Each structure stands twice: as C-alpha cells, then as structure tokens.
C-alpha cells in the first residue's frame, strides 16, 4: 500500500486529520487496531472548545453536533456552600463551549471518512514505524486479525507518518531521545453515567472539604458526574446510594438547590496525571494528541489539544504541498508545545484549585478558598479562567 500520510489511530485526532487532509487534496490512510463498534462507544471527553467547534463545522462534521450538542455559556463554581457563575461570552468576546461527547465526534468523522475520504482500516494493528529519518517512512501493520489472532502482515509506504495512537501506542516509542515531563496526582475521579436529567443547565465544579465533585451531562436526559476519590479506588466498592449521598454533600449550597437522582448505568475510576513528550516530531514521524501529551480532565483540554495538533499539522502539510517549503513542518513541535504547556498550566491550576490533596493542611484549605474568592470578585481573574476554558488560539 502507498499513501502520502499514514495515520495510526482512529480517535478524534486521527479521524479529523484525515478529514482536513482530504479537504486539502492530500491522500491518507488511517490504521486503527480496534473494530468500528469499539471506537464508536469508548467514553472519553465531552467538552468542545469554541475553536474545536469551529473546526468541526468547517470540516463538514458539525451538522449533528449543532443539532444535538448542548451549547454552554458558562460554568458554576461552588465553594463554602456558595455559588458563582462564570459568564464565558461576557468575558471572552462571545466565546462558549459545546457539550458533545467524543464518541459522537468519532461517529460523525467515521461516517464522513467512509463516505468520501481515504481508506480507514479497522482491526489494523500498527506493529512498527520504520525509516522515520528517511524520505519514505513505512508502517508495518497486521490487518484482519481480531485480538492479535491471525491476520495478515502488510506495509504502508508513506511520505509522512502521524502517530495518533495514544499514550500506549507504538508511535511515541519510535521517537528516540525524547524527553518526558510527568506529574501523577494522589487521587482519581469516580465517574458515573446516570439516566436522569442534569440537575443544572451548566457544568458545576465544586470544591469541598471532603473533595472535589463535578456535575456534567451527556444529553438532556443523561447526567455525567464525578467524585474525587483515592487513586487506588475500586469503582465497585461504591454502591449507588453511597455515590448519590456523597455527591449531595459535596454540591451542598445555602439555597434550595437539589441534586436529582436516577439509575446509574456506568461507573469507573479515571486516574489523574499530566504527561508531555518532547519533541513531537522525529524525522517524518509526527505525534498528535495523547501520543504526545495527557492532561488531567479538570480543564477539559485533552480532546481540544488533539484538535489543535492536527489543525497545525494539516496546515503545515498543505503548505508543504503548495509551496515545497518545510518551514511549517519544521516548526510543528514548537508551535504545538506552546499551546500544550498553556493547557497543562491551566489544567494544573484547575486541579489544585478544586481538589483536596490528602496531605493538605488547614492553611492549604484556606488558600484554595482565597483563590476561588479572587475569581469570584475579580473580573481580571475571572476573565483569565474564561479565556483558558473556552480555548487557547490554535497555531
């Protein structure tokens, strides 16, 4: 097989990159180790920044998002039984965010790719990236074998390879002499999906002495909620009544707000960590999305950073095709990392602002409340949060 850009991974990064390249007249092949059903049901992020929404619309993937997604013009911060709303459009010149699950983004992009894009091969496991330092890198892959059983080995010859295969994929390990920067937090998120209408029309971020809680949603009838728990927590150790009771405690306010309860259909524990791999390029191999960086979910940046990466890369590849210049490709890693580190900074700030460290002292608790008070009383501080939450400029 031969193509211009070989893409490893059919998550939102790989699928969107393929779409952007298709629109630019650049051919690609996407290799995905899992089957289509798995890709379309794996639960991940659900908050799209303004820039991500704009990119999906421009790529022709915005029709269902605009019909079924939930536009949010703010978030609510809760602390000391108080409530403070951050008004995004008023603070950012009109920007907002969209609640639209990553699973739905992938469904939309898969449908577009299969309709008129380049080859998208499911159950095609990338085994190795070879010759990244040359003008003709290649991807060895196994196609047609389920769960590593059987299948046929093949080679995809490329001009460029893009690793969108996540932290555990092969692309990141194919970058020699890279540096990693990491932080692991001593807590995780116990997340649930519940068949009940959300108890608030926007996301609620709650700082409580017992730990953080988040009220989110997947649709007008499905709630997504999270509790801060110790990092080694087994989700099954929490029964449904205990989860709802703890959520009620952490969301408590001095007014008559109440939390709606409903059947819990799914629960899991998400670890909290930060990871950055530098550089994001080796020869003609480029990393994008979780293959290059991971952020704690508090800042809602993971999917949006991946979009920023592939927009930057697609622009650079189109520039190379149109002018013969490698200038934008050579700047890819540095360009993306500027945005990545701002997102890491914001995610760290939000995480330390709202979560209670197991080793926290009363002094630390008072500092958290003081930081939240500052946001609630200072337009400058509130604007900084709103600008970061709705998205940093791409490129």
């Amino acid at each position: 097989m031969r193509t211009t850009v070989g893409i490893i991974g059919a998550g939102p990064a790989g699928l969107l990159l393929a779409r952007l390249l298709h629109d630019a007249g650049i051919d690609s092949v996407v290799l995905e180790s899992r089957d289509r059903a798995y890709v379309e049901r794996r639960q991940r992020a659900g908050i799209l920044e303004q820039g991500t929404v704009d990119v999906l619309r421009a790529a022709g993937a915005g029709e269902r998002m605009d019909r079924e997604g939930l536009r949010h013009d703010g978030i609510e911060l809760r602390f000391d039984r108080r409530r403070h709303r951050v008004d995004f459009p008023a603070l950012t010149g009109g920007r907002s965010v969209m609640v639209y699950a990553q699973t739905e983004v992938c469904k939309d992009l898969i449908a577009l790719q299969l309709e008129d894009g380049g080859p998208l091969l499911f159950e095609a496991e990338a085994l190795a990236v070879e010759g990244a330092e040359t003008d003709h890198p290649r991807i060895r892959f196994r196609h047609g074998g389920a769960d590593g059983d059987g299948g046929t080995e093949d080679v995809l010859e490329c001009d460029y390879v893009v690793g969108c295969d996540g932290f555990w994929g092969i692309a990141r390990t194919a970058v020699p002499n890279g540096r990693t920067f990491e932080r692991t937090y001593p807590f995780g998120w116990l997340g649930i999906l519940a068949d009940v209408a959300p108890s608030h029309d926007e996301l609620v971020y709650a700082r409580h002495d017992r730990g953080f809680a988040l009220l989110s949603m997947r649709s007008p009838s499905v709630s997504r909620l999270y509790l801060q728990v110790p990092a080694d927590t087994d989700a099954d150790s929490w029964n449904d009544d205990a989860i709802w009771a703890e959520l009620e405690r952490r969301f408590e306010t001095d007014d008559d707000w109440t939390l709606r309860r409903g059947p819990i259909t799914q629960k899991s524990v998400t670890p909290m960590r930060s990871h950055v791999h530098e550089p994001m390029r080796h020869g003609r191999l480029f990393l994008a999305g979780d293959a290059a960086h991971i952020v704690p979910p508090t800042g809602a940046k993971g999917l949006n950073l991946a979009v920023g990466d592939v927009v930057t890369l697609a622009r650079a590849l189109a520039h190379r095709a149109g002018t013969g210049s490698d200038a934008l490709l050579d700047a890819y890693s540095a360009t993306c990392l500027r945005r990545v580190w701002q997102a890491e900074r914001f995610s760290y700030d939000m995480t330390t602002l709202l979560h209670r460290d197991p080793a926290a002292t009363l002094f630390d608790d008072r500092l958290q409340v003081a930081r939240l008070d500052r946001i609630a009383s200072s337009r400058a501080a509130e604007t900084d949060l709103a600008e970061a939450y709705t998205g940093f400029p791409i490129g």
Side-chain angles (χ1 to χ4, degrees):
M1 295 182 68
R2 182 77 176 81
T3 190
T4 302
V5 182
I7 301 171
I8 308 173
L15 291 167
L16 180 58
L17 176 60
R19 186 64 189 176
L20 296 174
L21 293 177
H22 170 79
D23 290 346
I26 300 171
D27 62 291
S28 69
V29 173
V30 182
L31 306 176
E32 167 56 47
S33 63
R34 302 283 193 163
D35 62 29
R36 180 177 179 178
Y38 180 90
V39 174
E40 292 187 338
R41 69 172 181 264
R42 55 187 169 195
Q43 293 289 332
R44 293 291 189 273
I47 305 296
L48 308 182
E49 295 174 353
Q50 182 70 66
T52 297
V53 170
D54 294 342
V55 167
L56 290 172
R57 286 171 178 157
E63 180 181 352
R64 194 163 68 94
M65 173 189 69
D66 285 330
R67 186 173 67 249
E68 300 178 11
L70 306 173
R71 171 179 163 146
H72 281 197
D73 287 337
I75 58 172
E76 183 173 287
L77 301 175
R78 291 194 185 177
F79 59 103
D80 277 0
R81 303 176 66 93
R82 289 181 279 161
R83 305 169 64 177
H84 176 76
R85 181 175 185 267
V86 179
D87 186 331
F88 292 155
L91 296 163
T92 64
R95 299 211 306 265
S96 62
V97 297
M98 182 81 75
V99 176
Y100 191 62
Q102 175 175 311
T103 50
E104 307 311 310
V105 173
C106 287
K107 288 175 187 176
D108 297 340
L109 290 170
I110 286 170
L112 285 172
Q113 188 71 5
L114 295 178
E115 179 182 348
D116 61 9
L120 167 53
L121 306 182
F122 292 103
E123 297 182 85
E125 179 188 6
L127 303 174
V129 177
E130 300 172 341
E133 305 89 348
T134 73
D135 291 342
H136 300 288
R138 40 194 268 155
I139 306 169
R140 282 197 299 108
F141 69 99
R142 181 188 297 115
H143 190 212
D147 299 322
D149 181 22
T152 303
E153 284 204 19
D154 204 342
V155 173
L156 178 62
E157 303 278 355
C158 317
D159 292 335
Y160 304 94
V161 174
V162 185
C164 302
D165 51 345
F167 180 82
W168 301 107
I170 65 159
R172 183 175 60 86
T173 61
V175 178
N177 304 317
R179 295 186 65 192
T180 58
F181 303 85
E182 296 181 292
R183 181 183 182 91
T184 301
Y185 295 87
F187 42 75
W189 279 8
L190 171 63
I192 65 165
L193 279 174
D195 286 338
V196 61
S199 301
H200 194 60
D201 56 1
E202 294 177 336
L203 272 68
V204 178
Y205 288 78
R207 184 266 170 206
H208 193 277
D209 288 342
R210 297 176 63 90
F212 168 76
L214 172 62
L215 186 157
S216 182
M217 64 282 295
R218 283 294 177 263
S219 74
S221 61
V222 177
S223 293
R224 182 74 160 155
L225 300 110
Y226 299 92
L227 284 170
Q228 176 188 343
V229 294
D232 59 353
T233 295
D234 178 358
D236 291 332
S237 67
W238 283 75
N239 65 48
D240 292 5
D241 287 340
I243 291 172
W244 287 117
E246 189 63 25
L247 285 166
E248 287 174 344
R249 278 191 287 267
R250 298 191 193 183
F251 286 123
E252 61 188 0
T253 63
D254 282 333
D255 59 16
D256 59 357
W257 182 90
T258 58
L259 179 68
R260 299 188 183 111
R261 293 190 179 200
I264 294 176
T265 60
Q266 183 184 113
K267 56 185 173 181
S268 60
V269 173
T270 301
M272 302 284 284
R273 62 193 179 107
S274 301
H275 176 96
V276 179
H277 184 282
E278 297 185 8
M280 292 172 58
R281 176 193 182 181
H282 171 63
R284 292 199 169 201
L285 167 63
F286 298 82
L287 304 181
D290 286 359
H293 41 72
I294 293 172
V295 290
T298 324
K301 292 294 169 220
L303 169 60
N304 296 293
L305 276 182
V307 169
D309 292 345
V310 298
V311 168
T312 301
L313 184 54
R315 185 182 299 149
L317 289 166
H319 182 74
R320 173 67 174 80
T323 68
S325 170
D326 286 329
L328 296 186
L329 287 171
D330 291 341
Y332 169 76
S333 182
T335 300
C336 289
L337 284 169
R338 282 193 295 273
R339 190 168 185 266
V340 167
W341 278 111
Q342 284 301 317
E344 292 283 359
R345 186 271 305 170
F346 175 68
S347 299
Y348 170 84
D349 286 349
M350 288 286 284
T351 301
T352 58
L353 174 69
L354 296 162
H355 293 74
R356 193 171 195 281
D357 192 294
T361 66
L362 292 177
F363 182 86
D364 298 321
D365 292 340
R366 290 297 181 91
L367 282 181
Q368 279 188 319
V369 174
R371 290 168 65 191
L372 285 159
D373 264 329
R374 175 65 177 169
I375 293 169
S377 61
S378 166
R379 186 175 179 85
E382 194 179 26
T383 299
D384 184 61
L385 187 156
E387 288 180 343
Y389 198 99
T390 55
F392 300 105
I394 296 175

